[in-house]
Amino acid sequence: MKKQKLFSMINIFGLAVSLTAAIFIFQYAGYQLSFDQHFNDHQLIYRVMNDRYEGDQLIQRGQITYSAVGPQLSEDYPEVAFSTTLNFYTNLLIRYDENKIVQDRVPFADANFFNVFEHELLAGNKDELLKEPLSTVLTISAAEKLIGPKDSPNEYLDEVIYFHEDGFKVVGVIADIPQNSSLVFDILLSRETLIGWWGETARFSWTGSDYFHYLRLEKGADAQLLESKLEDFSNRYFKGNQVTGTFEKFHLQPLAEVHLDETYEYETHATINGQLINILMLIAFFILIMAWVNYINLTTSRSLQRAKEVGMRKVVGASIWQLRFQFLQEAVIVNLLGLVLAVTIVQIFQQQYNQFTNVDYTLFDTVLLKFKGVSIIVWFLGIFSVGTIASASYPAFVLSKYMPVHMLKGNYSQSSTGNLLRKSLVVFQFILSTSLIAFTVVVTNQTNFIREYDLGYNTSQVLNINGPMDTNLDTTFVTTIHAFINELESNSMIEKVGVTTAEFGEQLPRTFNVRRIGSDEGVMLNRLGANYGFFEVYNIDLLAGRSFRIEDHNRDGQQIDKLVLNDKARELLGFQSPADAVNKKVQLFGREFFVIGVTDNFHFRSVKQSVEPILFLPFYEVDGDTYHIRYQTQNTQEVVSFVSDKYDEFFPGDQFEYGFMDAKVQSQYEQEVQFGKVFSVFSFVGISIACLGLVGLVGYSATKRTKEIGVRKVLGASVLDILKVISVDFLFLIGIATLLALPIIYIGARNWLNSFQNRIELSPWFFLFPVLLVFMMAVLVIISQTMKTAQDNPVNSLRED
């Protein structure tokens, strides 16, 4: 290491950087892969999934299904140890005396919940939890926040918290839910309460579909065998499409896969594209390989000096295994130094990395993460050990096997085997580098594309606030809402106020068998309650007819007989044009409605999905509405303050919460933006390591050819001629690498882009740019490493001869 400082530094620093990148990627990927694996026997827990078909057309793919499904599966199949059914309420205001907390999503669960999910119980009797109506289980943090600190968790038992006018008795306190859980909650309410509100169909029905079922199988049960029986289960209870009007297909999803699959609808938590995690893991793997390739390349390129050393050792009696052990020992030392430096770098930059990924990691937390039941650190150290031994084995075994006479003559460095290996590894490195650059460009452009995509409505200067959640408006709630809207619009800062029954980005409820009068063919449409100001707030264009008017709303839903369609819904219903649909009747809910208008299409959800067919009804909800307020002033805080005061005036006791529409829309693409940043950073690391290896190889090549260069200069060669001689071999190899990378780039980019309904086109620029950039970086490296040798006085290099 002292003799060859440059090579030692390149090896150690390259390994340290690659190991740092790998540790950071393992932290991020390990966290995502560890979701739900903290449960005992998590591999026995499955979610029941329901695919719904109209004929051959898949119209719904998700986990909401009928209330009878879980209980009946538990009764029919002995493989099922326990089943639990959940429902979810959104935007709940929970009260205890003067304390209030707003919960985005609260599950109602039955008594079997804690038999399926084994949470740590701090207070209460597990056998009695959630059996009774109006009972609740709190996490310890929620209990402390809502009720206040206590000396013991048992002191929270029998306290009463309130949702609307209903009081729920605390029957249990559990430890906080781990962050890496797909089913996160602070408050768990008894499903018996919901059954009391909704009726017995909430307990057991083959038609009402708003229920989530989880199963815990018996140990040793074959999940695939059970899944194969679900087709017969569907036929037996749904009789084709006779019961629900659609064909029901069921399958089981392992709990550990829930977080990694974003293809299902009506998810109750944030999911991630598991494919992205696999890509990041591949990047980590490739970065490590590139660092070890550098080690092999630089070690074998120094074979001339090491060959003489090895030959001398053999002459004085060293065995082949002693020599191999020496090379292996050197490789282990270099890799361990790289690992120590990498851990140091991780500790230094951990906080910045946490801010970068929006998750709090520590090295200790990484040790606790598990994948497939094995610690992430064990996986990492296993890969590190294999890579260390593999990268040391080739030079150790090759250099040690030659005869001393050959070694002392230095013939190995000219061998075809050594040269072919180095050339192959250089090609491999730059295939990866070119691919990483290209994928970075594709990911960045696709992310920018979806963020800037025309949604079909105007999101700027729109304030969103939650509707009243705790105010009892009884029969006056429609008139109260209208009075609140009028009060807001009376201020010159407020341009228009709209109301919807769902937030942008949410999966809308669906209405099946919607058909125009005179047609026997029903279609499935998404449904959204909207008021008379909604379309104007977002500047959504009307293609024909009119929007809602204030008189279209009615407290009695049975009196509402008008609706608006978007253009995609109009097409599905079979109307020839927007104008053709106006004043026609459609049937839904067993009643007839007049189509009063048709709007242009717009993306209610992310542009990752296609535009959905939507029917709009002039409905309000007692709680859960979202108010959309378009303002026309730059003093945003003044608008928020005014709206907050009016909210408190009309809905005393309710919790005022707000956000901005443009920020909400951008948050839908947070995962893609974050992935793009992470991908770009680690791609840069990979490319830098490849260039670092090229620095070593070119520098060594220039040094080895010093006498040749001196002769050429004596014979009249210019500096440019010398640069050409040295660079041509390397540029030829890089050219081969870029050509081999092109099909990899195309296939990989196309497969990733296919996960988006709206995506960029792969123009020739996406292939040309990485090739040009790789060549430019290679030329700069070659020039920087050969210029000194090319400019040296030939007398110095030829003096010995």
Side-chain angles (χ1 to χ4, degrees):
M1 289 174 62
K2 287 177 67 178
K3 287 181 181 178
Q4 301 290 336
K5 293 183 177 64
L6 175 63
F7 291 105
S8 299
M9 184 192 73
I10 289 175
N11 271 327
I12 294 172
F13 184 71
L15 283 166
V17 172
S18 66
L19 289 168
T20 300
I23 290 171
F24 278 141
I25 291 176
F26 267 69
Q27 280 187 336
Y28 180 79
Y31 171 76
Q32 304 296 343
L33 293 170
S34 70
F35 263 66
D36 296 316
Q37 298 198 28
H38 53 274
F39 289 112
N40 292 330
D41 297 324
H42 66 84
Q43 68 275 9
L44 299 177
I45 304 175
Y46 291 82
R47 191 167 66 165
V48 181
M49 312 304 288
N50 185 184
D51 293 343
R52 193 165 296 168
Y53 289 83
E54 282 185 347
D56 294 330
Q57 182 184 3
L58 178 65
I59 60 172
Q60 181 172 300
R61 185 171 190 264
Q63 68 275 27
I64 61 168
T65 186
Y66 308 94
S67 58
V69 169
Q72 196 65 54
L73 285 171
S74 183
E75 181 177 329
D76 288 359
Y77 301 103
E79 301 98 312
V80 180
F82 298 100
S83 73
T84 186
T85 304
L86 283 79
N87 296 90
F88 291 87
Y89 262 43
T90 57
N91 296 326
L92 266 66
L93 179 65
I94 308 295
R95 294 180 287 109
Y96 178 85
D97 290 340
E98 297 300 316
N99 296 333
K100 301 173 186 176
I101 58 174
V102 175
Q103 297 289 289
D104 292 334
R105 195 176 300 271
V106 175
F108 286 74
D110 58 31
N112 267 338
F113 179 84
F114 291 100
N115 290 321
V116 175
F117 301 100
E118 297 182 358
H119 291 280
E120 181 185 356
L121 186 63
L122 304 180
N125 182 351
K126 178 182 175 181
D127 295 332
E128 300 299 321
L129 297 180
L130 304 178
K131 280 189 173 181
E132 300 298 324
L134 299 176
S135 60
T136 183
V137 174
L138 307 178
T139 64
I140 186 65
S141 291
E144 291 172 350
K145 183 177 181 180
L146 189 61
I147 300 173
K150 301 278 188 182
D151 293 333
S152 166
N154 288 301
E155 295 182 34
Y156 292 110
L157 298 180
D158 297 327
E159 293 281 4
V160 178
I161 64 174
Y162 288 87
F163 164 49
H164 284 317
E165 301 303 318
D166 294 306
F168 288 78
K169 184 171 73 171
V170 178
V171 297
V173 178
I174 61 174
D176 290 337
I177 310 300
Q179 193 178 11
N180 56 339
S181 176
S182 63
L183 195 58
V184 178
F185 58 87
D186 294 318
I187 298 171
L188 197 62
L189 303 179
S190 67
R191 220 173 77 80
E192 288 297 320
T193 309
L194 206 64
I195 293 169
W197 294 344
W198 293 2
E200 283 299 313
T201 55
R203 189 189 307 278
F204 196 90
S205 169
W206 297 107
T207 55
S209 175
D210 196 21
Y211 304 88
F212 301 76
H213 300 285
Y214 290 84
L215 308 178
R216 175 180 278 270
L217 305 187
E218 296 284 1
K219 289 186 177 180
D222 188 334
Q224 289 185 334
L225 181 61
L226 174 61
E227 191 172 53
S228 69
K229 300 175 183 178
L230 297 185
E231 183 176 356
D232 175 68
F233 176 85
S234 179
N235 292 334
R236 190 183 330 142
Y237 293 106
F238 292 95
K239 306 183 190 310
N241 63 349
Q242 294 180 28
V243 175
T244 61
T246 54
F247 294 94
E248 313 294 339
K249 293 187 178 181
F250 298 95
H251 65 275
L252 303 179
Q253 183 185 34
L255 182 65
E257 296 178 8
V258 169
H259 177 67
L260 301 173
D261 193 337
E262 60 175 7
T263 62
Y264 291 106
E265 301 168 314
Y266 299 105
E267 285 290 5
T268 60
H269 63 283
T271 56
I272 192 169
N273 186 343
Q275 183 184 14
L276 303 185
I277 301 302
N278 294 334
I279 292 172
L280 285 176
M281 293 292 280
L282 276 175
I283 290 176
F285 185 62
F286 287 149
I287 286 174
L288 288 173
I289 287 179
M290 290 167 77
W292 286 317
V293 163
N294 279 350
Y295 182 85
I296 293 172
N297 262 344
L298 295 174
T299 302
T300 56
S301 70
R302 291 172 55 216
S303 57
L304 182 60
Q305 294 93 326
R306 300 308 301 268
K308 292 179 180 178
E309 172 196 338
V310 170
M312 185 59 69
R313 288 181 182 275
K314 279 195 169 186
V315 167
V316 297
S319 70
I320 191 170
W321 283 104
Q322 285 178 314
L323 292 169
R324 288 173 178 175
F325 180 74
Q326 176 193 337
F327 283 111
L328 288 170
Q329 192 177 45
E330 288 176 6
V332 169
I333 291 171
V334 170
N335 276 269
L336 286 176
L337 287 173
L339 180 60
V340 171
L341 183 56
V343 170
T344 304
I345 296 172
V346 168
Q347 290 287 72
I348 293 171
F349 291 102
Q350 185 72 72
Q351 191 62 39
Q352 290 86 342
Y353 182 71
N354 291 349
Q355 294 172 359
F356 187 65
T357 57
N358 296 323
V359 180
D360 289 330
Y361 305 101
T362 65
L363 277 176
F364 180 73
D365 292 334
T366 309
V367 173
L368 299 179
L369 293 175
K370 290 184 177 182
F371 175 61
K372 301 292 185 183
V374 179
S375 170
I376 290 295
I377 290 298
V378 173
W379 284 103
F380 175 78
L381 291 177
I383 294 172
F384 172 76
S385 301
V386 170
T388 299
I389 294 171
S391 64
S393 296
Y394 182 84
F397 278 69
V398 170
L399 287 176
S400 62
K401 75 178 182 179
Y402 287 94
M403 298 299 292
V405 64
H406 296 148
M407 292 292 194
L408 293 174
K409 290 181 178 179
N411 291 336
Y412 175 76
S413 64
Q414 278 76 42
S415 72
S416 60
T417 302
N419 287 329
L420 180 62
L421 172 72
R422 287 192 294 277
K423 290 177 180 178
S424 300
L425 294 179
V426 168
V427 169
F428 174 75
Q429 280 191 315
F430 279 92
I431 287 175
L432 296 181
S433 298
T434 308
S435 301
L436 287 174
I437 293 172
F439 290 143
T440 300
V441 174
V442 170
V443 169
T444 302
N445 278 270
Q446 174 63 17
T447 302
N448 292 336
F449 175 77
I450 60 176
R451 293 178 69 185
E452 298 169 4
Y453 193 85
D454 183 7
L455 300 172
Y457 56 93
N458 183 2
T459 64
S460 63
Q461 291 196 296
V462 176
L463 175 72
N464 298 138
I465 66 172
N466 59 284
M469 292 176 281
D470 197 48
T471 303
N472 185 7
L473 298 177
D474 52 62
T475 58
T476 67
F477 84 96
V478 171
T479 54
T480 304
I481 288 171
H482 290 170
F484 175 61
I485 292 172
N486 290 337
E487 188 70 20
L488 294 181
E489 291 180 347
S490 67
N491 189 302
S492 59
M493 295 185 297
I494 307 297
E495 183 177 333
K496 199 68 180 176
V497 179
V499 183
T500 57
T501 55
E503 292 186 49
F504 276 85
E506 290 183 358
Q507 173 69 59
L508 293 173
R510 287 170 170 164
T511 303
F512 297 93
N513 199 29
V514 182
R515 58 185 180 85
R516 60 185 173 86
I517 300 301
S519 172
D520 295 328
E521 183 178 351
V523 298
M524 181 277 295
L525 301 178
N526 295 277
R527 184 179 74 251
L528 177 66
N531 85 321
Y532 55 90
F534 168 70
F535 301 109
E536 191 173 341
V537 166
Y538 288 105
N539 300 328
I540 296 171
D541 293 331
L542 275 168
L543 302 180
R546 66 173 177 86
S547 177
F548 294 126
R549 295 172 181 160
I550 193 167
E551 58 267 22
D552 295 326
H553 296 276
N554 197 298
R555 173 66 181 86
D556 182 1
Q558 295 298 314
Q559 300 301 314
I560 292 175
D561 62 353
K562 296 177 178 63
L563 58 79
V564 172
L565 303 172
N566 74 346
D567 201 40
K568 189 164 185 178
R570 185 271 306 168
E571 290 179 4
L572 286 177
L573 286 168
F575 294 111
Q576 296 301 310
S577 67
D580 180 48
V582 175
N583 295 325
K584 298 295 195 307
K585 289 183 178 181
V586 297
Q587 186 177 64
L588 62 147
F589 304 142
R591 297 166 45 209
E592 294 182 357
F593 289 76
F594 285 98
V595 178
I596 61 170
V598 177
T599 74
D600 202 355
N601 291 325
F602 64 93
H603 285 270
F604 189 81
R605 292 201 293 160
S606 163
V607 298
K608 290 185 287 186
Q609 291 89 29
S610 58
V611 170
E612 298 171 310
I614 305 175
L615 65 86
F616 305 91
L617 294 163
F619 287 169
Y620 294 113
E621 289 185 353
V622 176
D623 52 40
D625 281 342
T626 298
Y627 289 70
H628 312 265
I629 303 167
R630 174 165 293 283
Y631 58 93
Q632 48 188 358
T633 176
Q634 297 305 312
N635 193 341
T636 302
Q637 194 52 51
E638 186 179 354
V639 174
V640 172
S641 179
F642 169 74
V643 174
S644 176
D645 291 342
K646 292 301 177 184
Y647 189 92
D648 292 340
E649 178 183 327
F650 277 82
F651 312 119
D654 258 294
Q655 189 85 5
F656 176 76
E657 294 195 342
Y658 70 94
F660 296 95
M661 190 61 194
D662 48 4
K664 180 172 181 58
V665 168
Q666 290 304 313
S667 70
Q668 296 177 357
Y669 312 115
E670 185 176 342
Q671 182 188 127
E672 284 72 27
V673 172
Q674 187 183 82
F675 173 72
K677 290 179 180 178
V678 172
F679 193 95
S680 300
V681 168
F682 292 122
S683 294
F684 175 76
V685 171
I687 296 160
S688 300
I689 290 170
C691 288
L692 201 60
L694 190 61
V695 167
L697 284 175
V698 173
Y700 178 76
S701 178
T703 302
K704 189 177 70 172
R705 300 174 70 173
T706 300
K707 289 184 174 62
E708 175 195 338
I709 293 170
V711 171
R712 288 179 179 273
K713 292 190 72 174
V714 168
L715 296 176
S718 66
V719 172
L720 183 61
D721 293 330
I722 301 299
L723 291 177
K724 288 179 181 178
V725 167
I726 295 177
S727 64
V728 66
D729 288 341
F730 289 105
L731 292 180
F732 176 73
L733 294 177
I734 293 170
I736 293 174
T738 55
L739 288 176
L740 293 175
L742 292 179
I744 298 173
I745 294 168
Y746 178 79
I747 294 170
R750 177 54 58 196
N751 287 340
W752 182 68
L753 289 172
N754 283 341
S755 64
F756 297 87
Q757 287 292 330
N758 300 285
R759 52 185 176 265
I760 59 174
E761 292 298 325
L762 288 176
S763 68
W765 172 248
F766 289 114
F767 303 94
L768 185 61
F769 176 77
V771 172
L772 293 175
L773 186 59
V774 164
F775 268 98
M776 184 179 70
M777 291 189 301
V779 168
L780 290 175
V781 167
I782 292 169
I783 291 174
S784 67
Q785 292 301 302
T786 58
M787 186 61 73
K788 181 179 183 300
T789 305
Q791 290 177 333
D792 274 351
N793 190 331
V795 173
N796 297 329
S797 61
L798 297 175
R799 180 173 294 153
E800 292 180 8
D801 294 339

